[in-house]
Amino acid sequence: MTGQKIPRVQFPADVRRDTLAVREGLPPSAWGENSEALFLTSSFVQPDAATAAARFANEEEAFIYSRFSNPTVTMFERRLAALEGAQACIATSSGMSAILLLGMGLLKAGDHVICSRSVFGATIMLFGREFAKFGVETSFVSQAEPAEWRRAVKLNTKLLFAESPTNPLTEVCDIRALSVIAKDAGAWLAVDNCFCSPALQRPMEYGADIVIHSGTKYLDGQGRVIAGALCASEPLVEEKFVPVMRSAGMSLSPFNAWVVLKGLETLSIRMRAQSARALVLASWLEAQPQVERVFYPGLVSHPQHALAMAQQSGSGGAVVSFIVKGQAAGGAALARSNAFHVIDHTRICSITSNLGDTKTTITHPGSTSHGRLTEEQRQAAGITQGMIRVAVGLDDIEDIKTDLQRGLGTL
Ligand SMILES: Cc1ncc(COP(=O)(O)O)c(C=O)c1O
């Protein structure tokens, strides 16, 4: 072992998070660039055969091959780890592949997982269908009822998985309570922090072992690339996840890493600005007669408002969901057609299921993000046909109100 390490940026010991967001990564190359370089290379030239052998054998830290190590990707990993307060991070090609890496790294046939019933639709499919093919059983429980999680624990429970707030119902889970249940069970707790990002919530401060990200959302922040990441302790990343990445290769491309790396520089100010606009919109929606219910953790009417405020830096995040009237009078069909009416009358909001963009997006979760679920799974997740999700961007919020009023006012 030569002990050679990839160098670190040197900071004063008390440097704060906002500074890390723009400077953590790698020291500049020999050319002294101020903006981080994009290393578009699939492999790295080694000085000689013996050094190559040492590096492939992990005796020396160096860049070898971009499936598992690339300087631009490393810069993103170090910066995101710093923001999450994690020792380490491993970047992945998408948010879903971060959850795939989580499962492949921690689980084996015969293991049991407890997962919130309200998580993103593809996450339910990954645990409930794909991992089940390999003999991993998942129990789905209520997001907001820690007692249900505790009751679901079995001798073979290895992982608890939550997302907070959830997509699209913005249900909040008590991360600290779940971390206690996980520790008692000898299991890991993983939290998908996609909706809040580390700018508002750092799950590890509440006892989570692993934080999952879809970098596609707020980390990029401008709807440009698909990306993901998993943050955890250094031993967990090195022992459980890096070997899987080397063999399975769900790696983040250097170009996409560069985009999300630069996105992290403005994450905090974007999140704060978008959340402030979302609160204005949610309060306005609550007062509209055509709206049956609004889901937004920043509203006092949200059942977990107090918990959300404590866990999410006093912010509700930037996603607002609401149900248009119709279900009571005409059932699911009328509710769905009313929701489509509101969506189709917008002229500014982008009709797309992505979120976390500076452009405000609008979607009908029941037929898009949660469209592949069975009706039973959708009902269990609380997704009704009258529901609309708005992911508030940096548009002037008065324009977004006018945009929604066009459809709501003609229902
Ligand atoms: C909460 C949450 N987690 C994970 C994902 C998956 O991320 P990706 O689309 O980057 O695979 C999404 C996507 O919408 C999401 O909303």
Side-chain angles (χ1 to χ4, degrees), residues 261-336:
L261 170 73
K262 301 306 280 179
L264 288 180
E265 296 185 2
T266 54
L267 176 67
S268 172
I269 50 173
R270 278 188 285 105
M271 280 312 292
R272 276 185 262 135
Q274 290 175 226
S275 302
R277 285 164 171 76
L279 178 58
V280 173
L281 184 72
S283 309
W284 176 79
L285 282 168
E286 231 181 8
Q288 303 312 303
Q290 303 87 354
V291 172
E292 267 176 17
R293 187 167 168 198
V294 181
F295 302 85
Y296 182 66
L299 291 176
V300 178
S301 59
H302 190 283
Q304 296 142 307
H305 174 69
L307 172 63
M309 292 301 99
Q311 217 168 245
Q312 300 174 192
S313 315
S315 167
V319 175
V320 181
S321 295
F322 61 100
I323 299 178
V324 291
K325 69 173 188 187
Q327 182 89 29
L334 181 63
R336 180 182 169 113

Side-chain angles (χ1 to χ4, degrees), residues 338-361:
N338 284 351
F340 280 19
H341 175 89
V342 173
I343 293 170
D344 290 345
H345 278 76
T346 58
R347 298 217 305 257
I348 294 173
C349 291
S350 312
I351 305 175
T352 172
S353 62
N354 195 27
L355 62 100
D357 200 315
T358 48
K359 295 180 174 66
T360 301
T361 62

Side-chain angles (χ1 to χ4, degrees), residues 93-99 119-120 122-123 161 163 165-167 192-195 212-217 225-228 353-355 369 389:
S93 57
S94 67
M96 289 320 301
S97 65
I99 305 174
V119 294
F120 180 54
T123 308
F161 188 96
E163 179 187 307
T166 56
N167 180 11
D192 183 333
N193 198 23
C194 171
F195 263 45
I212 296 288
H213 273 289
S214 165
T216 318
K217 307 299 180 314
V225 298
I226 301 287
S353 62
N354 195 27
L355 62 100
S369 57
R389 189 197 73 198

Side-chain angles (χ1 to χ4, degrees), residues 2 16 132 182 212 257 259 325 368 408:
T2 66
R16 293 175 177 80
I212 296 288
V259 172
K325 69 173 188 187
T368 59
L408 286 172

